[in-house]
Amino acid sequence: MRRFYPALPTLLLPAAALLLPAVAVAQTPDIDRAAATITAEDFYRRIGVMAHDSMRGRYTPSPELDQVARWIGEEFRAMGLKPAGDDGSFLQRYRLLSVAVDNETSGITAASGERLRFGADVIAAGFGGPFEAEVEGPVVVVYGTDGAEAALAGAPLEGAHVVVVTPAAEAPRGRRMSGALGGIIGRAPASLLIASDAPEEQWVAEARGALARTSDVLGEIPRTGLPILMVRDASLARVLGPLGLDLPAIRARAAGPAMAVPVDGLSLTVTQRVRVVAEVAAPNVVAILEGSDPVLRGEYVAFSGHMDHVGVRPGQGADSIFNGADDDASGTTLVMEVAEAMASMETAPRRSMLFVVVSGEERGLWGSRYFADNPTVPIQNIVANLNADMVGRNWPDTIVAIGMGHSDLGSTMERVNAARPDLGMTAIDDRWPEENFYGRSDHINFARKGVPILFFFNGTHEDYHRPSDELDRIDTDKAARIGRLVYYLGVEIGNADPRPQWNEDSYRTIVGGGR
């Protein structure tokens, strides 16, 4: 995702939106007056609060993130919104576990009884968080760097413990085998065991770090996953040697043609147990503006953005605080600005408006996943989700609205856009389908529950996930115009008689099943 998108050529902008008639789009003095409350000055002020150095990058979890969540809740309270979190508050909290591998009960055991212990013989390779597993299976040794794809094609890798041996000159994680590792993982092995020829001092240092490593997981310890472990050569030789396999000789040949060799007579059991080190909680902020229609107020248009970022990372230079002004203080501010505009209307939209500011997006879409699984309103009554993640940079007259082709929200967006040429803002469909942005922000957790979505996103830039994503680089005028466009769209959806409808093929692909 670390890519900068220059100014979009005018020829790429869809003319269709400009040609659509503006009929059936509500335009009243009250709606326009409320839209005018969404200002560049407000964007500057609110982004400035969240992206200030004192917020230390709003890591999930952190005291600073909690402080931001409380501030957003108070802002919603001042707008007159109804709290929709836990126990009558604006906050919905979800449980996080800080976990580590249990080194005493984890290890590798051969059928002969030989046991390799975590720390002394084995360490987790550090890919992903720990999970619990106990898997038994045969062994296949893979070595060599030339023609690995062909060598693996007929190898019995499924359900096997695959031992990868790289050339002696390579680092223990096997950079030259990186292409082959993806092919191995795709074949559903029981585990991936990477042989390490690291010197004693290096192994001890890596083991010390691995044994002390903790990871945060959402809610409960995962029970499924692929164990990817580093195993010392000397330890692995204790298991392979009695079967006639000479590990030093295999490593010496690993610079040549690739080979996949099943090891007859050898079965291993890889056991990985996890212990809970600490339990903490992280916040979402949820608020409601009740609709004006006595029937439709039981349905909701949801607006979402994520308030977290990636925290503080020492060693990045003079500035180690990742302020996340665009990512995603800009989108969170958009949600707050739309909420304030809606709340200022003399007559609210017919449907209720739901404002969901989540955390944990940067850690794996945690907050939105928790909300979608534990909604504070019936999830089937959420008729649309309008998600904003990074809306303050790049082109001054264009915003990407990913998902326009998946439901009739796309045509509604075009109709609203055509009716508001004064905004100088054109919403276009996904410019980067190969990047799979559709699956990489919080809207995806709504979509998987059957909620039609649009994802407002300006693309990445040279400051993406860097300390330089600062307030002074935000185009607050552009962000405010996007905010007004999303507000008008929300009003249109909120007042329409029918709910937004999925395209059938998209529903089957994204949600699953038929309708």
Side-chain angles (χ1 to χ4, degrees):
M1 287 176 62
R2 196 168 294 232
R3 181 183 301 174
F4 175 59
Y5 298 103
L8 196 67
T10 304
L11 291 176
L12 291 180
L13 302 181
L18 302 178
L19 297 176
L20 287 171
V23 296
V25 174
Q27 299 188 60
T28 69
D30 182 35
I31 292 174
D32 291 340
R33 180 197 53 77
T37 68
I38 302 174
T39 66
E41 292 75 19
D42 277 358
F43 265 87
Y44 188 88
R45 176 178 65 84
R46 285 183 164 130
I47 292 174
V49 172
M50 287 179 277
H52 193 269
D53 279 356
S54 62
M55 294 299 103
R56 296 180 58 78
R58 311 184 306 279
Y59 191 70
T60 303
S62 69
E64 294 79 17
L65 178 68
D66 287 342
Q67 183 177 344
V68 167
R70 289 192 296 271
W71 171 73
I72 294 171
E74 287 307 310
E75 292 282 285
F76 283 157
R77 186 184 308 280
M79 297 172 195
L81 300 183
K82 176 182 175 182
D86 299 328
D87 302 322
S89 76
F90 286 99
L91 299 183
Q92 179 193 49
R93 302 191 72 84
Y94 57 92
R95 187 173 70 142
L96 296 175
L97 302 180
S98 180
V99 300
V101 173
D102 187 335
N103 305 311
E104 298 299 320
T105 59
S106 301
I108 301 175
T109 306
S112 64
E114 184 71 42
R115 179 170 176 80
L116 307 184
R117 296 179 297 111
F118 264 63
D121 307 298
V122 182
I123 58 175
F127 307 121
F131 54 89
E132 295 214 328
E134 184 168 16
V135 284
E136 186 274 337
V139 175
V140 176
V141 177
V142 172
Y143 62 93
T145 57
D146 298 329
E149 184 175 346
L152 296 176
L157 303 184
E158 185 174 352
H161 298 289
V162 180
V163 177
V164 176
V165 184
T166 62
E170 291 294 303
R173 285 175 177 79
R175 287 187 294 268
R176 290 178 65 186
M177 288 294 292
S178 60
L181 295 184
I184 294 170
I185 292 171
R187 297 279 298 281
S191 74
L192 190 58
L193 309 178
I194 303 174
S196 170
D197 62 347
E200 176 73 15
E201 183 177 347
Q202 180 182 337
W203 176 269
V204 169
E206 291 198 10
R208 186 180 299 115
L211 296 182
R213 185 183 300 130
T214 61
S215 298
D216 294 328
V217 297
L218 176 61
E220 60 185 22
I221 297 170
R223 306 292 175 181
T224 60
L226 173 67
I228 303 178
L229 308 175
M230 307 289 294
V231 187
R232 297 185 77 177
D233 276 9
S235 304
L236 196 57
R238 301 204 312 262
V239 175
L240 298 179
L243 296 171
L245 275 79
D246 185 340
L247 187 58
I250 291 172
R251 192 176 289 283
R253 295 196 299 270
M259 299 285 289
V261 181
V263 182
D264 294 334
L266 179 59
S267 175
L268 296 178
T269 299
V270 171
T271 302
Q272 183 168 278
R273 300 291 181 219
V274 174
R275 58 188 175 88
V276 177
V277 178
E279 181 175 330
V280 296
N284 294 329
V285 187
V286 192
I288 290 173
L289 174 69
E290 287 194 335
S292 58
D293 186 288
V295 176
L296 290 184
R297 71 166 54 123
E299 297 181 349
Y300 302 85
V301 180
F303 302 83
S304 61
H306 72 91
M307 60 186 160
D308 65 307
H309 197 51
V310 299
V312 179
R313 297 182 178 181
Q316 298 290 323
D319 187 358
S320 61
I321 299 175
F322 287 64
N323 300 89
D326 194 29
D327 185 15
D328 181 38
S330 67
T332 298
T333 296
L334 183 146
V335 173
M336 297 171 73
E337 288 290 303
V338 169
E340 190 168 40
M342 294 279 189
S344 74
M345 297 174 69
E346 293 179 9
T347 302
R350 298 168 67 200
R351 289 186 173 87
S352 294
M353 302 289 117
L354 178 69
F355 304 98
V356 187
V357 179
V358 299
S359 62
E361 191 270 357
E362 302 287 2
R363 306 293 307 278
L365 311 183
W366 286 345
S368 58
R369 176 151 52 105
Y370 183 83
F371 180 85
D373 289 340
N374 304 272
T376 58
V377 302
I379 194 75
Q380 68 273 17
N381 289 359
I382 300 177
V383 304
N385 169 230
L386 307 180
N387 184 48
D389 191 346
M390 301 175 64
V391 294
R393 295 288 296 272
N394 297 345
W395 331 290
D397 57 357
T398 308
I399 185 63
V400 174
I402 292 173
M404 288 178 69
H406 291 308
S407 73
D408 62 8
L409 284 176
S411 59
T412 303
M413 177 76 265
E414 290 180 336
R415 190 171 66 250
V416 170
N417 211 163
R420 304 292 173 179
D422 55 300
L423 295 179
M425 181 59 57
T426 300
I428 63 173
D429 206 346
D430 193 352
R431 303 305 305 175
W432 321 284
E434 72 283 356
E435 300 275 4
N436 187 33
F437 287 123
Y438 189 93
R440 293 167 59 179
S441 189
D442 296 298
H443 58 276
I444 188 61
N445 287 318
F446 287 88
R448 287 172 176 156
K449 295 292 185 179
V451 179
I453 69 94
L454 286 180
F455 170 31
F456 294 88
F457 175 58
N458 56 212
T460 60
H461 42 72
E462 73 274 19
D463 300 313
Y464 170 74
H465 278 204
R466 293 185 179 180
S468 51
D469 184 6
E470 299 266 18
L471 172 62
D472 61 3
R473 302 195 179 192
I474 298 296
D475 183 345
T476 55
D477 176 71
K478 170 192 173 171
R481 286 182 288 122
I482 296 170
R484 290 193 287 273
L485 180 62
V486 174
Y487 159 81
Y488 283 126
L489 176 62
V491 171
E492 185 72 10
I493 298 167
N495 284 330
D497 288 329
R499 298 168 59 131
Q501 296 297 314
W502 283 90
N503 296 336
E504 292 291 343
D505 289 346
S506 296
Y507 187 91
R508 282 190 291 269
T509 300
I510 297 166
V511 187
R515 287 173 62 82

